Structure formats: structure tokens, C-alpha cells
Amino acid sequence: MNDLFSSYRIKQLELKNRIVMPPMCQYSVDAGDGIPTNWHQHHYVSRAIGGTGLIIVEMTDVEPDGRITNGDLGLWADEQIDAFTKIVDEVHQHGAKIGIQIAHAGRKAQDAETPVAPSAIAFDETFKTPRALETEEVKEMVDKFRSSVRRAVQAGFDVIELHGAHGYLIHQFISPLTNRREDEYGKDRTKFGVEIIKAAKSEMPADMPLIMRISAREYVEGGYGLEESIAFSNVFKEAGVDMLHVSSGGEGPIGADGRPGTHASYQTPLAREIKKALGIPVIAVGRLDDPNLANSIIGNEEADLVAVGRGMLRNPYWALEASKTLNKKIDVPVQYERGFKH
């Protein structure tokens, strides 16, 4: 029976355990040029030293106006590659694998003079009203994703994740709330995502896995639920997605009747049902900081990997601490061995 510290393989990606650090924006590129800083170097490498199996670098954008804020990372230019490679190389030195989340914020691009989106609908009254992309611009956007994935591969990342969740651009095309288009990208709301998946795969080695993060449920009136997300996830699976990172929400201000739970593991049932319905590997995420809980999700085969977000913001050595809590003997940096003897 597998547990949190069992190894895992998908295509060529071999992980020493089932623990994932999910993408979490740092908003720390003070120069506004999208290039990782010393903060990002220390932030990610410390989690590798701390025993994490897979680290996924935060939302990294395909164009300057695709950022949530000007403090976000970007891979829209070749000049940005080297700083990412430096992070990748040092993470590898400490036995972890590393991916990157490629994205565009769409209507949630707060610092863009005029954000773009599938349709000209603002997130709420505090956000700018976006401009609807022309059909040809949508096709150009697919190529921007393609180019960013090429740069990520060149930087040496082990896996690519596309951000199709939390109300950002790919999710905006999926959702009936935000996609009111009458062209081909409105008649088939999965078309934009499918084209990006195929573009990404064309730039990736055949044995490199592609992850897509999705919102499996929306929390506003008229939003989609699990049945709809299973359907569009199946389309994305057929297009080439190898693993789904199952989150929820982010599409708009939460309605009173749709508010999600705040209890531990509140999103895990969504991951479990998608895994069961589609037979695709999944990452569970959402208040999974308790090592015993995270371990049970793997042991009960509810998910293949477990992402621990806020827990790792508090403690870069969460994985090492979890091994001690679960009485699992793992390789600990020799400098720290005295602290983890059983």
C-alpha cells in the first residue's frame, strides 16, 4: 500500500515522495521585469532542502499584461530563462523535481492598463472592465503560451502545469459566466484550452508530463459543478493532459449559497471523483497540512499526489517534519540529521 513517502512515477517524472508544493504567487519581482530574484531562489530551494518531492513554481505569465500584478514572474522573453535555470539546477541538487505553472490572468490582471478576456465582463466593481479578445488575438494568445512553454523546457523544468483554474484566462474561456462569445471559442468553450494543451505538447519532450490545474466547481450563481468539470476535463485529457491538479472557485465573488467549506480536505472529494470518473492521476489540494490526513489521502487512493500550500509557507521543512510525525525514515540533509533521529 502506498503512503505519503512512497515514490511515484508518471512518464519520465520520478518523484521520491507524494508531496507537492503547489504554485503560490510571491508578488516579489520588484523590478517588474518578470525575472526571478534572490527571494525566489531561496524560497524554492529551501523547500527542496526540506524534502518536498515536487515543487511547482508560481504562476508565470505569457505576456506582461497577463500578470496579476507587475510583481509576478514571466516567461515572455528569452532573457528571462537563465534565472529560472539557476533555480531548477539548485533544486535538483537537493533531490527534488520542479515544475512551473504557465498562465495568463485575463480579466484579473490588476496592473494591466486594459485587461483582456473572452468577454468584456469585469470580475467585480473593484476590477477594470476587460476588452474582449478578437478571434485572431485568441489564436495569437495560444502561440504566446506555446512560446512560454518552450522557454520553460529550455530552462530545464521537469514538468509543465497549465493554469486552468481560479478565474484566470483559460478558466474564463471554460466558464459560461465569463465566456459569452459568439465565435468558435464561444460555441466550444473548451477550444482555447485544447489548443493551448496541443501547443504545449508540441514544445515538450514526449516523455514529459503535462499537468493542468482546474477549478472543479464554481461558487457563484449559475456556475458549473462537478458533472460539467468532469466533462471538460475529459476533453482536456483526450487533448494530452497527463494529470489534473484539482482545485475550485476563483471565478467571481462567492455567493452566499455557494460558499465552499473551510474544513480540512474540503476539495479532496472533487479530486477523488474526477480520478474515479476519468482514470487520470490527480493532485489533491486544499487545507491538507496535517501529515496524517495527507497520508490517508494517498493510502485510501483518493489522489496520487498531495499539495501542501499554506503549510509550506509556514514551514519549508514540512516534508521532513511529516516524516517524523509518520515515523518514516527518509534521507535527511546530513546537516540536519540530529534533529530528525527517531
Side-chain angles (χ1 to χ4, degrees):
M1 180 175 292
N2 291 318
D3 60 40
L4 195 60
F5 287 93
S6 300
S7 61
Y8 183 75
R9 182 184 178 102
I10 177 170
K11 301 184 93 169
Q12 109 297 353
L13 181 66
E14 295 188 22
L15 305 178
K16 63 183 178 181
N17 58 46
R18 307 297 184 99
I19 301 168
V20 178
M21 178 185 181
M24 292 176 286
C25 289
Q26 299 295 290
Y27 306 111
S28 297
V29 184
D30 294 335
D33 57 8
I35 297 174
T37 66
N38 286 338
W39 172 264
H40 298 93
Q41 186 80 20
H42 297 312
H43 174 64
Y44 292 112
V45 172
S46 63
R47 273 67 185 180
I49 294 171
T52 306
L54 174 62
I55 294 162
I56 306 179
V57 170
E58 67 203 77
M59 179 172 169
T60 301
D61 299 289
V62 303
E63 66 174 1
D65 280 349
R67 294 173 290 179
I68 303 170
T69 76
N70 289 344
D72 291 356
L73 296 178
L75 262 177
W76 61 77
D78 289 351
E79 292 74 21
Q80 296 164 318
I81 296 172
D82 287 348
F84 285 100
T85 300
K86 183 180 177 183
I87 295 172
V88 169
D89 289 347
E90 193 167 355
V91 162
H92 285 162
Q93 289 176 25
H94 298 287
K97 298 297 172 65
I98 183 166
I100 187 169
Q101 185 184 74
I102 303 298
H104 190 293
R107 69 176 187 166
K108 295 176 83 173
Q110 298 173 28
D111 288 341
E113 183 175 349
T114 305
V116 296
S119 302
I121 305 169
F123 181 79
D124 65 19
E125 65 278 0
T126 69
F127 279 72
K128 299 170 186 174
T129 299
R131 177 180 65 81
L133 289 161
E134 300 292 338
T135 301
E136 189 57 37
E137 289 179 307
V138 178
K139 298 180 186 300
E140 292 170 358
M141 188 67 72
V142 172
D143 280 334
K144 291 176 182 179
F145 272 86
R146 182 199 307 274
S147 296
S148 291
V149 170
R150 174 185 59 77
R151 295 183 183 104
V153 171
Q154 187 176 335
F157 285 98
D158 301 298
V159 60
I160 303 297
E161 177 170 291
L162 298 174
H163 200 345
H166 300 165
Y168 298 119
L169 190 61
I170 296 175
H171 183 182
Q172 290 165 29
F173 272 88
I174 297 168
S175 176
L177 298 167
T178 46
N179 184 349
R180 309 283 178 82
R181 302 176 68 90
E182 296 182 354
D183 67 354
E184 58 197 281
Y185 293 98
K187 293 174 182 175
D188 177 1
R189 294 196 306 275
T190 66
K191 183 177 176 62
F192 182 60
V194 165
E195 290 185 352
I196 289 173
I197 291 162
K198 291 181 176 179
K201 298 289 277 194
S202 75
E203 298 289 346
M204 297 165 59
D207 57 357
M208 176 186 283
L210 177 65
I211 302 170
M212 177 171 266
R213 197 171 210 193
I214 64 163
S215 284
R217 180 187 168 192
E218 295 184 318
Y219 295 112
V220 301
E221 185 178 352
Y224 64 73
L226 183 59
E227 183 177 345
E228 292 87 349
S229 63
I230 288 174
F232 71 65
S233 294
N234 190 52
V235 173
F236 294 153
K237 174 188 173 185
E238 293 299 317
V241 167
D242 299 296
M243 174 177 269
L244 292 168
H245 193 167
V246 184
S247 188
S248 63
E251 71 291 335
I254 295 172
D257 296 333
R259 187 167 298 277
T262 57
H263 52 280
S265 196
Y266 73 100
Q267 294 179 140
T268 301
L270 300 171
R272 180 183 65 233
E273 291 304 311
I274 287 175
K275 176 178 172 67
K276 179 180 176 182
L278 301 183
I280 190 171
V282 298
I283 305 172
V285 64
R287 298 184 63 86
L288 304 178
D289 301 355
D290 184 319
N292 286 291
L293 173 59
N295 192 51
S296 72
I297 289 169
I298 300 299
N300 290 331
E301 300 183 344
E302 296 178 277
D304 300 273
L305 303 175
V306 171
V308 178
R310 288 174 175 81
M312 284 200 196
L313 289 180
R314 293 193 299 271
N315 179 8
Y317 309 111
W318 186 93
L320 297 180
E321 289 285 359
S323 73
K324 190 168 180 64
T325 299
L326 298 172
N327 198 32
K328 294 289 183 181
K329 291 186 178 181
I330 65 168
D331 290 334
V332 174
V334 63
Q335 299 91 338
Y336 294 166
E337 283 180 348
R338 284 172 293 175
F340 291 92
K341 287 183 178 179
H342 292 273

